[in-house]
Amino acid sequence: MYPCIRYTKSIVDAVIANKKGRSLDITQTSEVNIRCSLTDLDVMFEMNNGRVLTIYDIGRTDFIIRTGLGRMLLKKRWAMVVAGSTIQYRKRIRFLDKVTIKTHIVAIDERWLYLEHSMWVKGKPCSSTLLRTGVTEKGRVIDTQRVLKAMGKSEWDMPPTGYVKEWIESDTHRPWPPIS
């Protein structure tokens, strides 16, 4: 089940943070704290790997709201989509662990904004995901330059390098549609 109450609370918290002057520049990192709850656990009594991806939605929503991207999406009737992801799990997250979710942009190309999320417990990284995200208008992904211009960041240049560039390249070799 989707954590609707926790998700709604995170939206309210992000809006309040913005109103209290804790907004972020789109070049900064968002941080959100949650607790691992009973509904997050799998049969091994650690955070379920699918729930990790769902909880990352909370970090992404905080980032979108606090950077002003959310306001711009509403104003222009745009939407944000996830078009691909890769994830690493390195440390277990247990019941009642205080988890810090960090979200920031790691690269931008002509079409996509690449976001990185990470979860931390007691200052140690537990998981990290790289997302290919896009902004859509009428169901089609628009150029990132339009998005950056609307955000007042048209001069911002952050081309994919290193592991981001390698992931983009390796993903071009993945068959679509999937082989049945």
Side-chain angles (χ1 to χ4, degrees), residues 72-83:
M72 192 260 314
L73 293 172
L74 289 172
K75 179 180 172 185
K76 298 208 176 260
R77 296 186 176 179
W78 291 348
M80 194 160 189
V81 297
V82 174

Side-chain angles (χ1 to χ4, degrees), residues 37 51 65 110 162:
S37 71
R51 182 53 64 115
I65 292 171
E110 305 80 35

Side-chain angles (χ1 to χ4, degrees), residues 40 42 47-57 87 89:
D40 298 331
D42 62 17
M47 189 179 284
N48 176 281
N49 61 346
R51 182 53 64 115
V52 168
L53 287 170
T54 301
I55 296 296
Y56 278 138
D57 284 350
I87 192 163
Y89 300 97

Side-chain angles (χ1 to χ4, degrees), residues 99-116:
V99 180
T100 301
I101 306 162
K102 298 181 182 185
T103 305
H104 64 278
I105 295 176
V106 291
I108 303 165
D109 64 20
E110 305 80 35
R111 193 165 186 211
W112 307 109
L113 300 167
Y114 297 90
L115 294 178
E116 184 176 68

Side-chain angles (χ1 to χ4, degrees), residues 29-150:
T29 299
S30 161
E31 289 191 17
V32 178
N33 293 307
I34 62 143
R35 286 247 180 231
C36 180
S37 71
L38 276 174
T39 57
D40 298 331
L41 301 179
D42 62 17
V43 296
M44 302 302 292
F45 299 102
E46 60 189 54
M47 189 179 284
N48 176 281
N49 61 346
R51 182 53 64 115
V52 168
L53 287 170
T54 301
I55 296 296
Y56 278 138
D57 284 350
I58 291 171
R60 190 165 48 262
T61 301
D62 181 78
F63 179 82
I64 289 168
I65 292 171
R66 291 183 52 210
T67 60
L69 181 57
R71 188 178 318 111
M72 192 260 314
L73 293 172
L74 289 172
K75 179 180 172 185
K76 298 208 176 260
R77 296 186 176 179
W78 291 348
M80 194 160 189
V81 297
V82 174
S85 65
T86 182
I87 192 163
Q88 295 177 322
Y89 300 97
R90 294 294 184 263
K91 184 179 179 302
R92 294 174 182 196
I93 299 174
R94 305 269 186 196
F95 178 57
L96 294 180
D97 277 348
K98 182 180 175 186
V99 180
T100 301
I101 306 162
K102 298 181 182 185
T103 305
H104 64 278
I105 295 176
V106 291
I108 303 165
D109 64 20
E110 305 80 35
R111 193 165 186 211
W112 307 109
L113 300 167
Y114 297 90
L115 294 178
E116 184 176 68
H117 294 294
S118 56
M119 287 190 185
W120 300 72
V121 173
K122 296 179 183 173
K124 296 188 186 222
C126 299
S127 69
S128 176
T129 186
L130 174 63
L131 301 178
R132 177 176 31 260
T133 65
V135 174
T136 62
E137 180 178 49
K138 298 178 183 174
R140 296 190 175 268
V141 176
I142 63 173
D143 291 339
T144 53
Q145 200 49 239
R146 280 184 67 194
V147 178
L148 293 175
K149 185 177 180 185

